[in-house]
Amino acid sequence: IDDLAVAEGNDILHRLVQELLRRLRRLRQWLLTGVVEVDLRCDIVELEAAIVPWIAQQHPWTMSWSNVLDYMPPGKFHQLAQMCSIQGDTV
């Protein structure tokens, strides 16, 4: 991104938009060719939720928890995180 500001004849906003469009086209191509798959689910992730074993079965490499810790005690969160990564391949 640092090189976007030094482009000749274009302002940084134009260059950022062009870079975003390039990346979106690349992602679109990955989706169309099956390199990337998107599976959107809306569910509450808590200890007894049916989605927890499903998450573990996906063998997640990483997980983003956002602000989950704001809504549960650390010990309960740790237990939930362990259940979601029970396969042992989550960093």
Side-chain angles (χ1 to χ4, degrees), residues 3 5 15-17 21-22 27 29 34-35 53 69 73 78-79 85 88 90:
D3 66 323
R15 289 296 311 269
L16 286 170
V17 168
L21 289 173
R22 184 186 71 77
L27 178 58
Q29 187 61 36
V35 173
L69 279 171
H78 187 73
Q79 187 179 3
S85 60
T90 307

Side-chain angles (χ1 to χ4, degrees), residues 40-60:
L40 301 175
R41 295 174 183 255
C42 182
D43 208 332
I44 296 174
V45 180
E46 55 190 12
L47 288 176
E48 304 300 323
I51 193 80
V52 173
W54 181 87
I55 292 170
Q57 290 171 358
Q58 305 311 303
H59 295 265

Side-chain angles (χ1 to χ4, degrees), residues 7-77:
E8 294 180 25
N10 292 320
D11 62 39
I12 191 167
L13 178 59
H14 176 78
R15 289 296 311 269
L16 286 170
V17 168
Q18 293 306 308
E19 180 64 18
L20 178 59
L21 289 173
R22 184 186 71 77
R23 292 180 184 192
L24 286 171
R25 283 191 289 272
R26 182 178 62 187
L27 178 58
R28 180 181 182 272
Q29 187 61 36
W30 288 345
L31 288 165
L32 290 172
T33 58
V35 173
V36 172
E37 181 179 316
V38 176
D39 186 354
L40 301 175
R41 295 174 183 255
C42 182
D43 208 332
I44 296 174
V45 180
E46 55 190 12
L47 288 176
E48 304 300 323
I51 193 80
V52 173
W54 181 87
I55 292 170
Q57 290 171 358
Q58 305 311 303
H59 295 265
W61 186 63
T62 63
M63 294 182 69
S64 176
W65 293 97
S66 184
N67 63 340
V68 171
L69 279 171
D70 293 341
Y71 300 99
M72 65 177 61
K76 190 174 180 182
F77 169 75

